[in-house]
Amino acid sequence: KREKGYMKTEEFLKLLCGKDVMRVLDSYRDVIGLLFPDIIPCIGFDQKSKYHIYDVWEHIIHSVSAAPQDPEIRMALFLHDIGKPSCATFDERGGHFYGHGETGAEMSRKILDGMKLPRNFCDAVYMLVKYHDYPLDASEKTVRRRLARFGESFLRKLCTVQRADAAGHGTKTDAVFEKIDATQAMIDKIVALNACFSLRDLAINGNDLYAMGVQKGPQMKYLLNKALSAVVDDEVKNDRQELEKYVRSIIDKQPI
């Protein structure tokens, strides 16, 4: 049974990464519905939105087709809006889908677990579905914070997913593309400068804090994260002596 399930998954990923993916998915929507029942409510679901000219299913297949032929990216786009039908509300302004990213991510987790895909693949797709509509901001401080929170690899993939998602709207998206381009350019700039946006890049570590009298545990983790946030926000230089002074100031206010 495991081998049979694996082969089905392997063949679907090949289909998903094919050049003719939009036509194939649309032509075999009934078969896709059998394999992925959670997709069925998306087919023909009118979004009633000025930002979309397609129903949810049509938007999904246009988005998948607009993405690079990368299995994680295309699987994330295939699943990114499956939470919309269950989250939909309508008023005089049209359709609203509050929380559909988180709902879709939980639905995706169950689907991916059933496909017996590698854990790192499932985790990446889950995160991309959950944050696919996360607001981007190209300011240096914001991008540094996002790099600290998500990491470079994920943030780059998220930009790619959002570009394909926007392309699948079928409406004017120049402003969205410009924001994504600006965000990607800022990521390039920060990475090129070898800026600090993770604990491994920080000029102090747990051993330094231990030497200052901080015991291993929640307090040490808290202080390291405070130091990282200060560097990311450009409040303190990523310098060992400067960071030790900063940490000491926190300890003096909140004795260990």
Side-chain angles (χ1 to χ4, degrees), residues 96-140:
H96 308 281
F97 307 95
Y98 304 118
H100 78 276
E102 290 190 10
T103 298
E106 294 305 319
M107 295 168 70
S108 297
R109 175 70 79 188
K110 294 178 182 178
I111 291 170
L112 295 164
D113 285 347
M115 295 176 75
K116 299 181 175 64
L117 287 157
R119 177 52 53 194
N120 61 338
F121 184 99
C122 296
D123 290 343
V125 173
Y126 170 87
M127 288 289 288
L128 288 169
V129 173
K130 182 175 181 178
Y131 292 103
H132 75 269
D133 58 351
Y134 194 76
L136 293 179
D137 184 327
S139 69
E140 183 170 357

Side-chain angles (χ1 to χ4, degrees), residues 205-216 220 240 244 248 251 256:
N205 56 34
N207 292 330
D208 298 314
L209 266 62
Y210 187 76
M212 295 170 65
V214 180
Q215 298 300 310
K216 294 180 180 179
M220 181 176 286
R240 181 176 174 179
E244 285 180 347
R248 177 59 64 188
I251 294 172
I256 300 171

